[in-house]
Amino acid sequence: MSRLVYITGASSGIGQALALQYARAGWRLALVARRTTELQNWAQAQGLRPENCAIYGADVCDIAAITGAGRACIAAQGLPDVVIANAGISIGIDSAQYEDLAVMQRVYATNNLGLAATFQPFIEAMHVRGSGALVGIASVAGIRGLPGHAAYCSSKAAVISYCESLRGECRPFGVKVVTIAPGYIDTPLTRENRYSMPFLMQPEAFAARAFAAIEAGAAFRVIPWQMGWVARLLRLLPNSLFDRLLAGRPRKHRQGS
């Protein structure tokens, strides 16, 4: 039987591109999304057969729903070889605005608690089996905080740290934890950005490189590699210079703006 990959946020963008990449590589798919009708239409358009592609409806913010989807996958298709926690959102906030605290809560619920809840149903079973890969989709935005992006940047920094912690916990059992930090990828998430996006990649190109990194068992990989160097340079910049470089930079849209 071919290997099985479980992907959240599979109805668009990076998740959809990863699903197609794995399908073309001959893997069976377990795809999770809130918009199941849209995902089913896409799967049919790609010629994916139901015996090779199962779809589960769940919102990663709903812990009972997303952990239930994981258990349903194991019951119906078996324990996945790779689990990719891809679902995420990016919304600009202004910390001076009271209503944006609820936005920040939603970002954390999706990007952080949703990631942990995605992994939870599979960890113990992978430990017992002695193999598997848990993949967290972070971002280069998690390397340094950007004005107006406090919720997203801090959430992705947390993804990086969480996956690093989990990697140490899973390593003795033969289970890999891979952190993928995308740069700018041409998806619905980035098309509303009001600032330049260097080294912008198409989702299909990103998915091919992410697939290779996951197969190699990379602990941490920035894609594209050029953004990795940019991130390293930004990390090394003194705070005073970093702040001056970002002064006046357009900010991410706030909710409703």
Side-chain angles (χ1 to χ4, degrees):
M1 184 176 292
S2 58
R3 292 192 286 175
L4 175 66
V5 62
Y6 180 95
I7 306 172
T8 63
S11 61
S12 66
I14 286 174
Q16 195 172 88
L18 285 167
L20 190 57
Q21 173 69 39
Y22 274 91
R24 288 173 174 169
W27 288 55
R28 294 179 297 128
L29 306 178
L31 306 180
V32 185
R34 291 179 294 115
R35 299 170 294 180
T36 54
T37 300
E38 185 174 317
L39 183 53
Q40 287 167 347
N41 291 339
W42 173 82
Q44 290 174 359
Q46 300 303 318
L48 300 176
R49 300 190 303 274
E51 60 269 25
N52 292 326
C53 177
I55 293 173
Y56 304 90
D59 185 337
V60 297
C61 290
D62 185 334
I63 293 176
I66 190 59
T67 55
R71 291 190 296 272
C73 169
I74 293 172
Q77 297 176 277
L79 181 62
D81 299 276
V82 173
V83 173
I84 304 178
N86 164 74
I89 58 174
S90 175
I91 308 171
I93 68 164
D94 180 348
S95 294
Q97 304 302 317
Y98 176 82
E99 60 269 24
D100 282 8
L101 293 175
V103 175
M104 192 169 191
Q105 183 179 44
R106 180 182 163 211
V107 171
Y108 285 178
T110 303
N111 296 357
N112 302 122
L113 191 55
L115 177 137
T118 295
F119 289 157
Q120 188 278 324
F122 306 106
I123 294 174
E124 186 174 351
M126 283 185 171
H127 286 181
V128 171
R129 185 179 63 188
S131 67
L134 303 169
V135 183
I137 302 298
S139 170
V140 293
I143 305 298
R144 291 208 71 161
L146 304 174
H149 293 64
Y152 184 69
C153 289
S154 59
S155 76
K156 291 303 183 178
V159 168
I160 293 169
S161 293
Y162 173 84
C163 288
E164 189 168 43
S165 297
L166 188 63
R167 187 172 73 245
E169 296 168 10
C170 290
R171 184 177 180 181
F173 300 95
V175 176
K176 297 175 181 177
V177 177
V178 179
T179 306
I180 303 291
Y184 293 113
I185 313 299
D186 185 16
T187 68
L189 200 67
T190 60
R191 287 173 194 151
E192 294 183 358
N193 288 346
R194 298 183 289 182
Y195 41 81
S196 63
M197 295 182 286
F199 310 115
L200 182 70
M201 288 188 78
Q202 292 303 307
E204 296 77 13
F206 166 82
R209 296 188 192 183
F211 177 83
I214 295 165
E215 284 289 271
F220 181 84
R221 184 69 58 85
V222 176
I223 302 173
W225 64 265
Q226 294 94 331
M227 284 303 295
W229 283 106
V230 171
R232 290 185 184 96
L233 290 172
L234 289 176
R235 184 71 272 174
L236 293 172
L237 284 178
N239 289 338
S240 58
L241 180 55
F242 178 77
D243 292 344
R244 285 201 298 273
L245 283 174
L246 293 179
R249 184 176 186 265
R251 298 189 177 195
K252 185 82 175 179
H253 287 287
R254 292 175 60 231
Q255 183 170 280
S257 64

